[in-house]
Amino acid sequence: MIENSMFEEEPDVVDLAKESPSYPIDSDDAVYEPRSSRLLVRGLGENDLDEDEEDYESSARLLGMSFMNRSSNQRNVASSYTRQQYSESCLKPSTKTTVVGVLILVLVASMIMVIYFLPGCTFTRKGCKKSNSTMDSIYPISTSGEPFPWTELRLPPSVYPVHYNISLHPNLTLMTFQGSVSILVQVLNETKNIVLHSSDMNISKVTFEGKEVHVLEYKPWQQIAIKFPEDLKKGQYVLNINYTAQLSNSYDGFYNSSYVDTNGTKRVLAATQFEPLAARKAFPCFDEPAFKSNFTIKLTRERKYISLSNMPKVKTTDLKNGLQEDEFGKSVKMSTYLVAFIVAEFIGVSNNVSKTKVSVYAVPDKKDQVQYALDTACKLLEFYNTFFEYDYPLSKLDLVAIPDFLAGAMENWGLITFRETTLLVGSNSSSIDKQLVTSVIAHELAHQWFGNLVTMRWWNDLWLNEGFATYMQYMSIETVFPELDMDTEFLNVRFKALTKDALNSSHPVSTVVSTPEQVEEMFDSVSYEKGASILLMLNATLTDGEFRKGVIEYLQKYNLSNTESEYLWDSLSQVSKQNLSVSKMMNTWTVHKGFPLVTVERKGTQVTLTQEHFLLNAENSTDDSSLWHIPLTYVNDSCSVPSSSTLNLPDQVKWLKFNFRSDGFYIVHYDEEGWKNLIDALKGDVTVLSCKDRAALINNIFALSRSGKVSFRDVLNLMEYIRNETQTAPLTEALFQLGQIFRLLDKRSEFNLASRMTVGNTSYKLSSGQSQSWDLESSVSEMTLRSALLEMACSLNIRNCSTQAKHLFDQWFISNKTFQIPSDLMRTVFKVAAQTDEGWGKLLDIYKHSINDQEKRKTLEALASTQDIRKIIWILQRSLDGSVIQTQEFPLVINAICKNFAGYLYAWDFVKENWDKITQKFPVGSFAIQSIIMSATSQFSTKTRLTETQNFFTSLGTNGSQMRIVQEAIETIKLNMRWMEKNLNALQKWL
């Protein structure tokens, strides 16, 4: 999927779903350690209150009330009773009588307690019943009130699914579906229980080997269980379950979707999104990656619809009431999260690649936008078949554009689903639009081998899926479509990963995963971009095609199986002829979080290298003992060839630049003389370093400035060379870094300072915006640079940029879109138009009626860039309720609004006020939630906003406070505050 252990129970708790108390969050004191799905906060989680008092106090804080302890409450309750007044004539018992009476009472009470707490004990020769297990006291309570026979979130390994027969009938009028599943299970070890997953289903009947059985359900863990009076012997059995359910109205499980066609008719469909934990919402199953099985699927539908699933359709049967049943072939062995099916009014086009029929499906109105995707998929499928030396194993491969789809795409085996904007390409689409579509297709096709054919055993190694697919998407496109300039894009991706991984709140590539929320959170930059980055570094380290040979060995050895990281390292080690332990080297990059800072100190010809864990805020580091096996490379003014062996520098070497082409996942700091020599060399001739190396110097020095290792004056010294820069990679990196600071200053109302810093010096290239062409451009690199320069120039109205953009918009609109705006400039032009009431209204009408998805997305970003508060509030409401703007676009809307001063606080307030609604639409911890939180908070830089953010997320309890992204948000705000404290006054003086 492209974008973005479960189950340690708390001892001595009867109902494990009980909400735990919330504590204040501080990212510097918090360590992300699972404890039954809540954050364990060191230094804050211990106090002298008992559990009930903690709950009272937490609730009181949440409600804004002062805390009153229970003893006070009890005194108040006691005082409401009137004490009985006895007559003074009554005799008082003697001391002896009192003592005897007390002893008798104690004895009786003790006997009652024994009988009450040990109901298995009798006063007979049988004595006390022995407990079956020490776990008896912590069994969860099922919905029926009976003890649920399993105490972990991970399923027991004693029963394994062999084959599923699934029959489904979705009713697209009532938005419900009926289902039945017959599971052939293999009992591996004798057991009295079968435990599997089920969520939000009404189970009507369950039979086991033809006999009806009672089913227990524990909803907090989405598990059901069948208990047997005797142990099931090893062997195969058949479990049948009949059920009904609502089609989901969120974006996971078996969900309903709708769109309005060009005739104004509302169309409905049903589609699936199961990764990571939602197959259980469509059919009861063993919903963990390691439980691979075969699937046979039948779908009942109305005649006007078609149905699709992982495998080819083998037959269609006519049923009564005008219905038809489609049956699909038996699938290959695969994990439940890869199962998929669709019922919709789609049409498709097809082509054949070797033995595989490749098809692209879309709604009928967009049938003319599928050809590029079909051609691209065919070329990439041929490439992967050759590269992996293992042909795609299915006879068909469908790519389907879903009108309402949250993820960028999903790699379901044989039935890949996409957002329309990541699959469809219109006739006026630019090469940049094609770059996005090509990237997503390449990513999902790579998954057909990495993820589908060979699957990670558990979500802790998600990077084996996503990191590999991300790496292969860039590598394959660079080979098959070199004109798309993916090399520069991959460099930007590595910079993005470095930024996230420099935080204390980051996590290892391979890390412990416990709760469902933590599984969702694994779909982040570390699993995707860092995973891809360390594979690039490894490939650059190995020689003679050893990386590819190792990958082929890995796929052939573990096809249709589940693996862990070590399996990949072992395969690569077996083919490598180098004196290198791949496992030892790569474990330093996957087991530890973060990455190293390499410091270079030079004295004459002697160079000293040291490494340390690089953190943007090292003052509160939770892990400072890590050492990495770093494959060092460097380039100097005498040699343009990288070396990773020894540093025998001749006297004439003037400068030295480490991490050649930024292939390594680390950053480099030089001593004062080292930085000076590099800057002087660039001022003399920018071509002494490759464009990647120049971009890396810019990225590294901004990171070093944020960490406090260099001053911002040092950053400005390097930036002076930019006046001579012409290449896309270093210029766009400089614009990105300056844009980050610009937005921080903007949100602090430092408008004049922000503008002076960004455009006051021609060396920053923004004043050259007027020299940029507004005509059609074919080079992806040139388009990328031009769009970045002109968007910044128009936002600041440099050299009448806005006037030119407005003129283009008017021509385009008057011509009824026959006049063509270059696609790469469309967002910039639309943003300028959106600043007037008339332009905004025109864009809203365009958004409602456009069937070009790239155009529609750029239009939405422009609508969200308005400075009109009423319009901002309207677009927030409409994108969350889905009435005008699809809810899948809500994270994009939040991001676009928060870039501008006018709306960023309104967006933050909207998120807080509508948190419950938001988390009903998007799962807690998901990539969408991560994006919403960081968009809304990442530009805060004051103590007030920090406190407000901490208090809000603390108040959420189990509905969000435990998320890692919350720690990242708080840490980012603190870093912004520190940067402002150190640099604001200096900036005012310098600029």
Side-chain angles (χ1 to χ4, degrees):
M1 183 165 61
I2 196 166
E3 305 235 52
N4 34 250
S5 282
M6 247 179 157
F7 314 122
E8 177 184 339
E9 73 278 359
E10 290 189 23
D12 304 320
V13 178
V14 175
D15 186 358
L16 300 186
K18 180 178 179 181
E19 180 175 335
S20 55
S22 301
Y23 301 105
I25 300 169
D26 192 312
S27 65
D28 298 330
D29 298 323
V31 180
Y32 198 77
E33 296 179 352
R35 188 184 177 201
S36 187
S37 78
R38 79 163 183 253
L39 184 69
L40 178 61
V41 184
R42 289 181 177 171
L44 295 176
E46 301 295 334
N47 52 55
D48 295 327
L49 302 177
D50 66 30
E51 183 175 320
D52 288 336
E53 288 174 327
E54 288 180 62
D55 285 339
Y56 288 144
E57 184 174 26
S58 297
S59 300
R61 287 173 177 165
L62 261 157
L63 297 172
M65 302 185 298
S66 60
F67 174 64
M68 181 177 293
N69 67 34
R70 278 186 300 168
S71 59
S72 174
N73 291 337
Q74 290 166 346
R75 284 194 297 271
N76 291 337
V77 171
S79 64
S80 65
Y81 289 91
T82 303
R83 195 173 188 177
Q84 183 178 356
Q85 299 296 319
Y86 294 99
S87 170
E88 290 183 359
S89 62
C90 294
L91 296 176
K92 293 181 180 181
S94 67
T95 301
K96 181 177 180 180
T97 303
T98 300
V99 170
V100 172
V102 168
L103 288 174
I104 292 172
L105 285 173
V106 168
L107 181 61
V108 171
S110 299
M111 293 176 66
I112 292 173
M113 289 176 66
V114 168
I115 294 171
Y116 180 81
F117 287 108
L118 296 175
C121 289
T122 62
F123 297 100
T124 67
R125 293 181 180 180
K126 292 183 179 180
C128 293
K129 177 183 177 182
K130 294 184 179 180
S131 174
N132 289 330
S133 169
T134 57
M135 302 291 282
D136 284 349
S137 61
I138 63 166
Y139 281 142
I141 302 302
S142 66
T143 54
S144 65
E146 303 170 65
F148 192 79
W150 186 243
T151 59
E152 298 180 34
L153 285 166
R154 291 282 291 273
L155 297 180
S158 54
V159 179
Y160 195 95
V162 177
H163 184 267
Y164 293 82
N165 274 302
I166 302 169
S167 296
L168 296 167
H169 177 197
N171 186 319
L172 296 183
T173 301
L174 300 177
M175 295 303 168
T176 61
F177 68 96
Q178 296 176 345
S180 66
V181 59
S182 176
I183 312 175
L184 177 65
V185 297
Q186 180 79 40
V187 175
L188 303 175
N189 298 299
E190 293 186 0
T191 179
K192 288 185 178 180
N193 307 305
I194 294 179
V195 183
L196 63 161
H197 289 110
S198 174
S199 177
D200 300 327
M201 294 180 184
N202 299 311
I203 295 175
S204 56
K205 185 178 181 180
V206 181
T207 63
F208 184 78
E209 288 293 289
K211 296 180 179 180
E212 190 163 353
V213 293
H214 178 55
V215 64
L216 300 174
E217 181 176 16
Y218 186 57
K219 289 187 176 182
W221 291 351
Q222 300 178 343
Q223 292 178 356
I224 58 174
I226 298 98
K227 296 170 65 174
F228 300 94
E230 303 293 337
D231 281 340
L232 292 175
K233 304 300 181 183
K234 293 181 181 180
Q236 292 190 347
Y237 303 86
V238 177
L239 173 66
N240 293 300
I241 303 175
N242 296 332
Y243 58 97
T244 59
Q246 296 286 326
L247 287 170
S248 171
N249 58 9
S250 61
Y251 291 99
D252 62 356
F254 194 16
Y255 72 95
N256 71 79
S257 176
S258 64
Y259 64 96
V260 178
D261 66 18
T262 52
N263 295 321
T265 303
K266 182 180 179 180
R267 305 287 183 178
V268 296
L269 62 100
T272 59
Q273 171 59 44
F274 290 161
E275 189 179 32
L277 307 171
R280 64 194 68 176
K281 295 185 176 183
F283 56 97
C285 57
F286 297 78
D287 199 11
E288 295 178 10
F291 287 109
K292 287 193 170 186
S293 184
N294 302 109
F295 298 82
T296 299
I297 294 172
K298 296 178 181 179
L299 293 170
T300 299
R301 57 174 174 80
E302 297 178 40
R303 289 179 181 272
K304 66 179 179 178
Y305 297 109
I306 67 167
S307 67
L308 300 169
S309 190
N310 304 85
M311 303 302 292
K313 184 169 61 176
V314 294
K315 71 175 181 178
T316 297
T317 304
D318 290 329
L319 306 176
K320 60 182 180 180
N321 299 325
L323 300 176
Q324 292 182 314
E325 181 185 71
D326 294 330
E327 181 177 345
F328 300 87
K330 180 180 176 181
S331 77
V332 290
K333 191 177 179 183
M334 62 185 183
S335 303
T336 48
Y337 77 87
L338 295 172
V339 175
F341 29 86
I342 296 169
V343 176
E345 296 176 83
F346 287 164
I347 61 172
V349 296
S350 304
N351 202 348
N352 290 312
V353 176
S354 186
K355 298 178 182 179
T356 302
K357 181 182 179 181
V358 181
S359 303
V360 180
Y361 289 88
V363 300
D365 290 336
K366 301 177 182 180
K367 62 184 178 181
D368 60 340
Q369 300 179 39
V370 301
Q371 191 61 46
Y372 179 81
L374 179 63
D375 295 340
T376 299
C378 290
K379 291 177 182 178
L380 288 167
L381 185 61
E382 287 181 316
F383 171 81
Y384 286 136
N385 280 341
T386 302
F387 184 86
F388 293 132
E389 295 186 3
Y390 194 112
D391 284 352
Y392 174 75
L394 276 59
S395 62
K396 69 98 170 174
L397 175 61
D398 297 336
L399 294 79
V400 186
I402 307 291
D404 203 12
F405 191 74
L406 181 59
M410 177 61 210
E411 66 268 19
N412 316 300
W413 214 346
L415 182 61
I416 308 175
T417 47
F418 296 78
R419 274 196 182 196
E420 290 182 323
T421 191
T422 60
L423 187 66
L424 305 181
V425 174
S427 58
N428 294 329
S429 297
S430 70
S431 296
I432 290 182
D433 297 326
K434 292 177 180 177
Q435 184 192 65
L436 170 64
V437 170
T438 308
S439 294
V440 178
I441 293 174
H443 184 99
E444 303 308 326
L445 260 63
H447 269 311
Q448 306 303 298
W449 285 265
F450 278 91
N452 299 8
L453 184 68
V454 180
T455 313
M456 78 268 147
R457 188 180 303 281
W458 180 243
W459 300 106
N460 63 302
D461 274 328
L462 176 66
W463 84 275
L464 284 173
N465 284 19
E466 300 300 349
F468 233 109
T470 303
Y471 174 66
M472 290 304 302
Q473 86 183 55
Y474 293 110
M475 190 273 285
S476 63
I477 296 174
E478 193 64 26
T479 303
V480 182
F481 302 96
E483 71 278 6
L484 293 181
D485 192 33
M486 292 302 293
D487 217 20
T488 300
E489 180 64 21
F490 194 12
L491 182 67
N492 294 333
V493 160
R494 302 201 291 279
F495 292 158
K496 175 184 175 183
L498 287 166
T499 300
K500 182 179 178 73
D501 210 27
L503 298 173
N504 252 321
S505 52
S506 185
H507 63 89
V509 170
S510 181
T511 190
V512 174
V513 174
S514 295
T515 68
E517 294 79 13
Q518 291 167 8
V519 172
E520 293 280 359
E521 285 187 301
M522 288 300 291
F523 292 82
D524 67 357
S525 181
V526 173
S527 295
Y528 285 71
E529 283 90 6
K530 183 179 179 179
S533 299
I534 63 175
L535 289 172
L536 170 70
M537 179 174 62
L538 178 58
N539 192 10
T541 303
L542 300 175
T543 58
D544 300 325
E546 291 176 344
F547 180 81
R548 181 188 173 199
K549 293 175 185 175
V551 167
I552 292 171
E553 164 72 19
Y554 173 78
L555 290 173
Q556 291 177 343
K557 185 174 182 179
Y558 298 110
N559 72 85
L560 301 179
S561 300
N562 296 87
T563 65
E564 300 171 0
S565 297
E566 283 297 324
Y567 296 20
L568 176 62
W569 306 147
D570 290 344
S571 294
L572 288 163
S573 295
Q574 288 176 17
V575 301
S576 177
K577 299 177 182 178
Q578 300 186 53
N579 185 22
L580 170 70
S581 170
V582 174
S583 179
K584 288 183 179 179
M585 170 185 165
M586 294 309 295
N587 279 338
T588 66
W589 296 94
T590 58
V591 176
H592 303 303
K593 74 176 181 180
F595 59 88
L597 168 66
V598 175
T599 301
V600 181
E601 295 181 338
R602 179 179 175 186
K603 293 182 179 179
T605 60
Q606 182 179 356
V607 176
T608 303
L609 304 174
T610 58
Q611 67 159 288
E612 61 182 286
H613 183 184
F614 180 75
L615 287 167
L616 290 173
N617 183 10
E619 296 174 0
N620 296 287
S621 172
T622 58
D623 180 12
D624 58 2
S625 61
S626 302
L627 288 177
W628 287 263
H629 184 136
I630 308 172
L632 287 171
T633 57
Y634 72 94
V635 63
N636 58 54
D637 58 324
S638 298
C639 175
S640 60
V641 180
S643 169
S644 55
S645 53
T646 58
L647 294 180
N648 297 319
L649 297 181
D651 293 334
Q652 67 269 24
V653 171
K654 297 178 182 178
W655 54 263
L656 193 66
K657 197 275 176 185
F658 275 81
N659 198 3
F660 181 63
R661 298 186 306 188
S662 200
D663 283 348
F665 195 72
Y666 58 95
I667 67 174
V668 184
H669 182 30
Y670 303 89
D671 57 23
E672 185 177 348
E673 190 68 17
W675 276 113
K676 180 181 181 302
N677 291 337
L678 283 166
I679 292 171
D680 289 345
L682 288 174
K683 288 179 179 178
D685 179 9
V686 297
T687 63
V688 296
L689 290 174
S690 71
C691 63
K692 287 185 182 179
D693 285 307
R694 302 197 300 272
L697 283 178
I698 294 169
N699 173 271
N700 287 189
I701 203 165
F702 270 96
L704 291 165
S705 171
R706 288 195 75 196
S707 71
K709 291 187 177 294
V710 301
S711 71
F712 198 67
R713 168 55 70 183
D714 295 323
V715 174
L716 296 177
N717 287 340
L718 174 62
M719 294 298 290
E720 288 177 6
Y721 105 88
I722 289 289
R723 69 186 63 181
N724 299 319
E725 184 61 78
T726 60
Q727 295 299 304
T728 299
L731 282 173
T732 52
E733 179 61 19
L735 286 170
F736 172 78
Q737 295 292 348
L738 290 169
Q740 297 283 91
I741 297 172
F742 171 84
R743 280 187 281 274
L744 284 180
L745 294 170
D746 182 55
K747 301 308 186 295
R748 291 280 287 258
S749 300
E750 297 282 351
F751 306 121
N752 292 331
L753 180 59
S755 298
R756 292 201 307 274
M757 188 208 71
T758 311
V759 301
N761 193 318
T762 57
S763 67
Y764 293 157
K765 281 289 182 182
L766 291 176
S767 62
S768 65
Q770 80 285 0
S771 65
Q772 294 293 319
S773 168
W774 293 78
D775 298 327
L776 293 174
E777 176 63 64
S778 59
S779 166
V780 171
S781 179
E782 291 297 325
M783 281 190 286
T784 301
L785 177 58
R786 178 176 72 170
S787 62
L789 285 170
L790 289 178
E791 184 163 351
M792 179 66 81
C794 282
S795 68
L796 299 169
N797 200 23
I798 298 173
R799 302 283 183 170
N800 298 317
C801 177
S802 296
T803 302
Q804 178 66 23
K806 181 68 166 59
H807 177 67
L808 281 178
F809 178 78
D810 290 341
Q811 284 184 284
W812 177 76
F813 189 81
I814 292 171
S815 71
N816 196 26
K817 301 185 183 181
T818 57
F819 174 82
Q820 190 173 349
I821 299 173
S823 182
D824 59 300
L825 299 181
M826 191 172 281
R827 182 174 62 182
T828 297
V829 170
F830 286 179
K831 281 186 175 181
V832 171
Q835 303 316 307
T836 67
D837 287 342
E838 181 185 5
W840 198 89
K842 291 177 179 177
L843 285 167
L844 179 59
D845 189 64
I846 290 166
Y847 178 81
K848 290 179 179 178
H849 297 99
S850 175
I851 62 170
N852 182 299
D853 290 286
Q854 282 86 14
E855 176 185 284
K856 195 165 186 173
R857 190 172 179 85
K858 292 164 188 171
T859 305
L860 180 58
E861 289 184 79
L863 290 169
S865 72
T866 179
Q867 307 299 300
D868 188 319
I869 301 304
R870 292 172 303 171
K871 292 183 175 68
I872 288 171
I873 294 173
W874 181 89
I875 203 170
L876 284 167
Q877 293 171 338
R878 297 293 82 78
S879 60
L880 183 58
D881 66 30
S883 57
V884 179
I885 301 165
Q886 291 176 317
T887 304
Q888 67 179 18
E889 303 293 3
F890 181 73
L892 173 70
V893 168
I894 292 290
N895 181 267
I897 290 175
C898 289
K899 287 180 179 178
N900 300 299
F901 179 80
Y904 83 107
L905 290 180
Y906 286 94
W908 169 232
D909 287 341
F910 188 84
V911 168
K912 291 185 294 181
E913 292 166 6
N914 293 276
W915 184 256
D916 288 341
K917 292 181 182 178
I918 292 170
T919 52
Q920 288 171 8
K921 301 286 187 180
F922 312 107
V924 172
S926 66
F927 187 83
I929 290 292
Q930 295 177 48
S931 174
I932 290 166
I933 291 173
M934 290 309 296
S935 294
T937 64
S938 63
Q939 296 165 73
F940 292 162
S941 61
T942 65
K943 180 66 175 177
T944 299
R945 297 298 171 209
L946 172 65
T947 303
E948 183 182 329
T949 303
Q950 289 174 317
N951 290 343
F952 170 68
F953 285 111
T954 298
S955 73
L956 298 179
T958 57
N959 195 28
S961 66
Q962 75 280 12
M963 290 186 293
R964 186 187 295 114
I965 197 68
V966 172
Q967 308 307 317
E968 181 178 334
I970 292 169
E971 186 177 356
T972 300
I973 297 171
K974 290 183 177 181
L975 287 168
N976 293 342
M977 291 170 58
R978 189 181 71 174
W979 194 93
M980 282 292 180
E981 291 168 2
K982 289 186 176 182
N983 295 294
L984 186 57
N985 292 335
L987 275 176
Q988 290 169 337
K989 293 178 182 178
W990 291 337
L991 301 175

